[in-house]
């Protein structure tokens, strides 16, 4: 994105001769009591001046200031500048969030969560001002700022100056009393303020009638009043001027600027028009654009003349025109010297390119309509843009180029295709890749003329094959994805670790999609080995998640645990700790949950949260919630589990990995656990699932869930046909699972088939299926795959142990957990028994912990604790805490409460 401009994050200097406005200063002092202070009014109402005056008069409190322009309408650029602006004023807060932003594939949610945590640790108040926020149109920026506004700590006060109300929750803030507003009606000069301005600041001696007339005509609009004052300086017929001063805002501005410009020397007027194309001005830049050598002196003279020039620093190096003034200057430039506009932009772009600011250089080339030059600069900037994850800016620039030109630029076509895919958009990608491919034909005489970066062109065949592989995989053409990935491998140089690692990893993902897990692991591991050799440590840590997922699907829990531990060791060996450490803890929690070690799983989830968002890879927020939902389910809190699934679905971050455990199917299984068979049946119909479907690995989890739905339906209505359907589906599913060596699936399917055969009355057949499951599961320590099926599987385990089938393992499972030894209503002597989580809450009600303390102990929200407490009271028939503990003692319930 080019070098950061210090002038954008500097508080503008206080201007000379300002009119004191205590009524507005008093209103702004209420900012301390508000989350947001909004200064919203059209151009020329003195918003920036008011804020700089208020801050200067308020004792020099710590202030972070960001002057926005159109280039900030990119999430990465916007947050980079905002976080940079914050750090000096906020004791370094924002540095951690900026580090997260600069990580590959970081999400804005992670950045903002880190920022909120940093701001929460501030001891002193800080003001954050966003000036000219109306230039921001990006929905992603609006959403991110809304997220921040809703979570700002009390010591941080946000101030926004804008011409239009921002897309933020203003109504909600207003209703809560958390919004201070200063609007155009407030900013308009009163008659007294207008008199003070015209007399003290502009040096005009006017009668009270003249001041009142001007104030009435301008309606207190400060910019118009300033322009009128400039026009009246040196004029003999002031009364005549005021009498003829009329019209709406636009006509007033056109008329007055014409008056001001006509009163300037040709030299000054030419300078103003030529430099009006610049978003900011320095002496050297103005010299480059105008061809003169007095730019610095001219800027200082314009500032002294009060000609709408706003200084951007304290050293008089950088300025900008008042936006309204610049708009009109540009309109006059276009009218009078249209042919010169492109050349002026071209000179500005050349100056920026020479000084190393590629971003501004590209902007001016596009403004000049010099698309070839813009394309050349863009091509050379592609690596830096990709590294900085500025896909939004890259897309904006590329989409400003003519389609015909883009089709002749193979490097840009492939870059554009990559930018689209990285933002989840596949439309148009294929056409771009095809357009790039035709330029690889050496017989094309135009190929050389279509390339600015020859090194990029030499690497293009491999890049093209890589993007084709990714596109094919994302659009479901796995065979084509494999073919293109192999071609990319063939084209990669032996020592180009990234070019070799990427295609190998894609081949692994493709094999995973087909259900060939052995090949999936082999290829993906090879890809990660290439990346590790090349020093891409972060990518290797991220790859550990995929490798472990494949191992879990193979039923190899020990290998998966080793993979996570190695990934964690790599992450923690770096200083600072690399992203992905939190992901390793979440992965390990999943394995401990399967082994029924809920305490270990809870610890790893807690460690993952303690590391914070900065240690998360993009997929970890939703993976963590899936693990938390599973833990909540095993603790008997199905409501919390479903709520966590909803959060996981909202946070889902898809990539090129197959979604082999879709959240909607996990939710259907929870519905079955809740007794909501009708909802689960509706889910199966909505997903168009049938026992006669063609089977595939990517839908295997859904079909296993369908078999569970059918078994539950049989338990409800005892229809033999339903049981036959479930059994037939399970037997069909077992065949490809065995062929693909998907041992995890084979174990689960064998357990379910054992239950189905038992329901048929075929106990020998049930024990055969159970024996296969036990033999595969015992070496890896699987537990929950058996216990989750409840009393029915417990009876089969008893029968297996009596017959000598994996006797020791079967007995360990029988002794393992509450799924086998659940307290029944008779044992608890309650009409409606307490769930394991309610028993745990009941135990803690007998301690000195208050509600928040219980919530912290259980790692749940206070509302969840309150819900459980109400349920406990209702089931025990009591109205208070002491009564609940007394009744529990009478029933001997606390002896069965889970201990921590």
């Amino acid at each position: 994105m080019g070098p950061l401009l210090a002038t954008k994050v500097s508080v503008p200097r206080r201007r000379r001769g300002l009119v004191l406005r205590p009524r507005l200063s008093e209103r702004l002092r209420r900012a301390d009591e508000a989350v947001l202070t909004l200064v919203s009014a059209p151009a020329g109402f003195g918003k920036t001046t008011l804020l700089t005056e208020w801050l200067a008069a308020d004792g020099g409190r710590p202030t972070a200031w960001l002057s926005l322009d159109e280039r900030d309408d990119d999430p990465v650029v916007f947050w980079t500048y905002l976080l940079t602006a914050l750090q000096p004023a906020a004791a370094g807060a924002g540095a951690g969030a900026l580090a997260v932003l600069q990580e590959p594939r970081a999400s804005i949610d992670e950045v903002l969560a880190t920022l909120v945590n940093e701001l929460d640790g501030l001891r002193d108040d800080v003001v954050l001002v966003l000036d000219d926020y109306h230039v921001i149109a990006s929905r992603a920026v609006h959403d991110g700022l809304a997220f921040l506004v809703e979570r700002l700590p009390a010591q941080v006060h946000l101030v926004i100056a804008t011409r239009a109300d921002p897309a933020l929750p203003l109504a909600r803030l207003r209703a809560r009393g958390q919004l201070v507003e200063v609007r155009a009606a407030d900013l308009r000069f009163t008659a007294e303020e207008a008199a003070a301005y015209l007399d003290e600041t502009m040096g005009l001696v006017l009668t009270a009638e003249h001041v009142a007339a001007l104030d009435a005509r301008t309606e207190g609009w400060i910019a118009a009043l300033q322009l009128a004052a400039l026009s009246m300086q040196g004029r003999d017929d002031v009364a005549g001027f005021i009498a003829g001063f009329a019209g709406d805002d636009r006509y007033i501005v056109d008329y007055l600027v014409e008056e001001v410009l006509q009163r300037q020397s040709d030299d000054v007027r030419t300078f103003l028009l030529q430099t009006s194309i610049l978003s900011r001005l320095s002496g050297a830049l103005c010299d480059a654009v105008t061809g003169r050598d007095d730019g610095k002196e001219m800027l200082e003279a314009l500032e002294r003349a009060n000609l709408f020039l706003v200084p951007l620093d304290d050293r008089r190096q950088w300025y900008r025109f008042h936006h309204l003034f610049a708009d009109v200057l540009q309109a006059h430039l276009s009218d009078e010297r249209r042919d010169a506009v492109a050349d002026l932009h071209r000179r500005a772009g050349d100056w920026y390119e020479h000084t190393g600011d590629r971003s501004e250089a590209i902007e001016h080339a596009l403004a000049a309509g010099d698309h070839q030059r813009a394309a050349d600069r863009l091509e050379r900037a592609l690596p830096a843009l990709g590294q900085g994850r500025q896909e939004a800016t890259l897309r904006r620039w590329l989409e400003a180029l003519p389609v015909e030109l883009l089709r002749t630029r193979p490097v840009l076509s492939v870059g554009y295709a990559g930018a689209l895919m990285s933002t989840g958009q596949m439309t148009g990608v294929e056409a771009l890749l095809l357009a790039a491919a035709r330029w690889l034909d050496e017989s094309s005489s135009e190929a050389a003329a279509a390339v600015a970066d020859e090194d990029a062109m030499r690497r293009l065949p491999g890049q093209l094959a890589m993007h084709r592989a990714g596109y094919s995989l994302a659009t479901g053409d796995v065979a084509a994805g494999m073919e293109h990935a192999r071609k990319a491998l063939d084209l990669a140089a032996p020592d180009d670790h990234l070019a070799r690692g990427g295609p190998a990893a894609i081949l692994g993902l493709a094999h995973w999609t087909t259900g060939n897990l052995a090949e999936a692991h082999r290829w993906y591991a090879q890809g990660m080995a290439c990346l590790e050799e090349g020093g891409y440590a972060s990518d290797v840590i991220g790859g550990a998640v995929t490798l472990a997922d494949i191992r879990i699907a193979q039923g190899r829990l020990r290998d998966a645990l080793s993979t996570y531990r190695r990934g964690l060791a790599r992450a923690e060996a770096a200083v600072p700790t690399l992203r992905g450490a939190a992901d390793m803890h979440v992965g390990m929690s999943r394995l401990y949950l399967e082994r029924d070690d809920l305490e270990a799983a809870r610890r790893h989830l807690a460690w993952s949260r303690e590391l914070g968002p900065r240690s998360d890879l993009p997929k970890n927020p939703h993976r963590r919630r899936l693990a938390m939902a599973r833990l909540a389910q095993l603790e008997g809190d199905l409501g919390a589990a479903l709520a966590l699934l909803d959060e996981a679905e909202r946070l889902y971050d898809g990539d090129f990995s197959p979604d082999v455990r879709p959240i909607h199917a996990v939710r259907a299984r929870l519905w079955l656990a809740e007794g909501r068979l009708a909802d689960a049946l509706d889910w199966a119909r909505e997903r168009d699932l049938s026992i006669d479907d063609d089977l595939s690995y990517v839908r295997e989890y859904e079909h296993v869930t369908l078999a569970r739905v059918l078994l539950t339906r049989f338990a409800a209505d005892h229809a033999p046909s339903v049981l036959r359907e479930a059994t037939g589906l399970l037997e069909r599913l077992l065949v490809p699972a065995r062929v693909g060596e998907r041992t995890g699936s084979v174990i689960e399917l064998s357990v379910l088939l054992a239950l189905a055969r038992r329901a048929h009355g075929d106990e020998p057949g049930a024990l055969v299926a159970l024996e296969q499951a036990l033999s595969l599961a015992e070496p890896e320590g699987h537990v929950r795959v058996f216990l989750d099926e409840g009393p029915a599987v417990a009876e089969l385990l008893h029968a297996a142990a009596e017959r000598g089938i994996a006797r020791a393992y079967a007995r360990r499972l029988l002794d393992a957990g509450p799924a086998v030894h659940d307290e029944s209503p008779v044992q608890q002597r309650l009409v409606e028994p307490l769930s394991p989580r309610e028993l745990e809450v009941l135990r803690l009600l007998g301690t000195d912990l208050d509600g928040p303390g219980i919530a912290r102990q259980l790692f749940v929200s206070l509302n969840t604790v309150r819900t459980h407490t109400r349920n406990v009271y209702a089931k025990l028939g009591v109205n208070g805490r002491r009564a609940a503990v007394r009744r529990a003692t009478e029933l001997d319930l606390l002896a069965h409460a889970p201990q921590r």
Side-chain angles (χ1 to χ4, degrees), residues 119-343:
L119 294 175
D120 193 50
L122 292 177
R123 294 183 178 180
D124 301 319
D125 283 15
V126 63
V127 176
L128 169 60
V129 180
L130 301 180
D131 196 16
D132 289 333
Y133 188 78
H134 55 268
V135 301
I136 301 300
S138 167
R139 170 53 57 184
V141 173
H142 292 323
D143 289 347
L145 192 61
F147 176 96
L148 183 62
V149 166
E150 293 279 16
R151 292 161 179 81
L152 273 180
Q155 60 269 38
V156 182
H157 311 286
L158 177 62
V159 180
I160 292 179
T162 177
R163 295 183 188 177
D165 282 5
L168 298 175
L170 300 181
R172 187 157 61 247
L173 293 171
R174 191 178 292 120
R176 295 173 182 168
Q178 296 176 331
L179 178 66
V180 171
E181 298 176 83
V182 179
R183 297 195 169 272
D186 307 304
L187 288 165
R188 295 182 190 278
F189 269 171
T190 64
E192 293 75 18
E193 289 168 343
Y197 175 76
L198 293 169
D199 180 19
E200 300 169 11
T201 303
M202 301 305 296
L204 295 172
V205 181
L206 302 175
T207 66
E209 291 76 16
H210 288 159
V211 172
L214 273 178
D215 185 61
R217 299 289 174 87
T218 60
E219 297 183 12
W221 182 30
I222 300 170
L225 199 63
Q226 182 181 11
L227 287 166
L230 286 170
S231 294
M232 286 187 290
Q233 287 178 340
R235 181 186 290 273
D236 295 329
D237 186 14
V238 172
F241 172 83
I242 294 174
F245 185 70
D248 61 22
D249 290 351
R250 179 67 195 181
Y251 291 118
I252 291 172
V253 172
D254 285 346
Y255 173 75
L256 293 178
V257 170
E258 189 68 28
E259 287 280 322
V260 171
L261 287 177
Q262 284 182 353
R263 291 179 176 274
Q264 306 305 317
S265 67
D266 289 343
D267 196 38
V268 171
R269 191 174 188 279
T270 299
F271 181 88
L272 290 171
L273 293 178
Q274 289 178 329
T275 58
S276 67
I277 66 157
L278 302 171
S279 60
R280 59 189 187 276
L281 306 93
S282 72
L285 175 55
C286 290
D287 288 345
V289 171
T290 64
R292 302 160 55 139
D293 61 2
D294 61 348
K296 186 175 186 298
E297 293 77 12
M298 284 292 295
L299 290 173
E300 291 174 354
L302 292 175
E303 184 189 9
R304 288 192 299 270
N306 207 20
L307 274 176
F308 299 98
L309 197 65
V310 180
L312 297 175
D313 57 41
D314 291 327
R315 294 170 294 177
R316 288 189 171 89
Q317 290 186 352
W318 286 94
Y319 300 82
R320 68 167 173 83
F321 286 123
H322 184 288
H323 296 308
L324 186 61
F325 191 58
D327 290 344
V328 179
L329 287 175
Q330 289 168 17
H332 280 268
L333 175 66
S334 180
D335 289 342
E336 298 175 21
R337 309 182 188 189
R338 182 181 298 273
D339 294 341
V341 174
D343 188 53

Side-chain angles (χ1 to χ4, degrees), residues 411-611:
V411 174
L412 289 182
S413 293
V414 172
Y416 189 20
L420 290 172
M421 286 194 289
S422 69
T423 53
Q425 181 172 324
M426 297 298 153
T427 304
V429 170
E430 186 174 19
L432 287 164
L433 296 178
L434 288 172
R438 73 184 183 91
W439 291 102
L440 294 178
D441 183 358
E442 293 182 1
S443 65
S444 173
S445 60
E446 300 176 73
V451 176
D453 186 341
E454 294 296 339
D455 287 340
M457 188 65 182
R458 282 191 289 273
R459 296 191 301 270
L460 190 64
Q463 289 289 312
L464 182 60
M466 263 290 301
H467 286 312
R468 279 179 160 174
Y471 175 75
S472 298
L473 197 60
T475 53
D477 192 343
V478 179
M482 289 182 169
E483 179 184 348
H484 291 307
R486 292 191 183 97
K487 182 177 180 180
L489 275 174
D490 291 340
L491 292 168
D495 59 347
D496 192 338
H497 303 297
L498 183 61
R500 301 193 67 77
I506 285 184
L507 276 173
L509 296 176
H511 281 296
W512 187 12
T513 303
T514 67
N516 187 345
L517 301 187
E519 282 295 282
H521 192 275
R522 182 175 75 84
W523 276 108
Y524 201 84
Q526 179 179 320
M528 293 304 104
C530 288
L531 294 178
E532 185 170 19
E533 190 174 352
Y536 298 95
S538 296
D539 296 282
V540 174
I541 292 169
V545 176
T546 298
L547 289 172
D549 278 348
I550 296 172
R551 284 304 195 210
I552 291 170
Q554 290 177 304
R556 297 172 63 169
L557 304 188
R558 298 180 190 277
D559 285 347
L561 188 59
S562 296
T563 299
Y564 282 130
R565 286 173 173 162
R566 286 195 300 272
L568 182 61
R570 285 192 183 99
E572 292 180 338
V575 180
T577 300
L578 292 174
R579 292 179 66 205
D583 301 65
M584 303 303 110
H585 285 297
V586 169
M588 285 187 270
S589 75
R590 177 183 172 190
L591 296 171
Y592 284 117
L593 286 171
E594 172 53 33
R595 290 181 171 177
D596 202 40
D597 189 345
L598 271 58
E599 187 57 40
R602 196 178 290 112
R603 283 198 307 271
H604 280 283
L605 285 172
W607 288 334
S608 174
R609 287 195 298 272
E610 288 171 6
L611 285 171

Side-chain angles (χ1 to χ4, degrees), residues 684-699:
R685 281 190 289 270
E686 289 169 5
R687 297 295 301 172
D688 197 25
L689 289 165
S690 163
I691 61 170
D692 299 318
D693 289 338
D694 292 334
L695 302 181
S696 67
Y697 175 57
V698 291
R699 299 202 74 185

Side-chain angles (χ1 to χ4, degrees), residues 722-751:
V722 174
L723 183 58
R724 286 195 297 272
E725 288 177 349
T727 305
L729 178 58
L730 290 168
E731 289 172 341
R732 285 185 66 210
L733 287 165
L734 262 171
V735 175
R738 289 187 180 121
V739 172
E741 300 180 21
R742 301 194 289 274
T743 304
S745 297
V746 172
I747 294 171
E748 181 183 7
L749 288 165
S750 297
V751 172

Side-chain angles (χ1 to χ4, degrees), residues 837 840-862 864-866 868-869 873 881 900:
R837 176 46 70 91
E840 194 167 14
V841 170
L842 176 59
R843 178 180 65 80
L844 293 173
L845 288 174
T847 69
D848 293 332
L849 291 173
D850 58 8
I854 294 174
R856 287 192 295 272
Q857 183 78 10
L858 299 178
F859 297 103
V860 298
S861 70
L862 181 58
T864 299
V865 169
R866 289 169 176 164
H868 287 314
T869 302
Y873 291 171
R881 183 168 180 165
R900 292 199 176 215

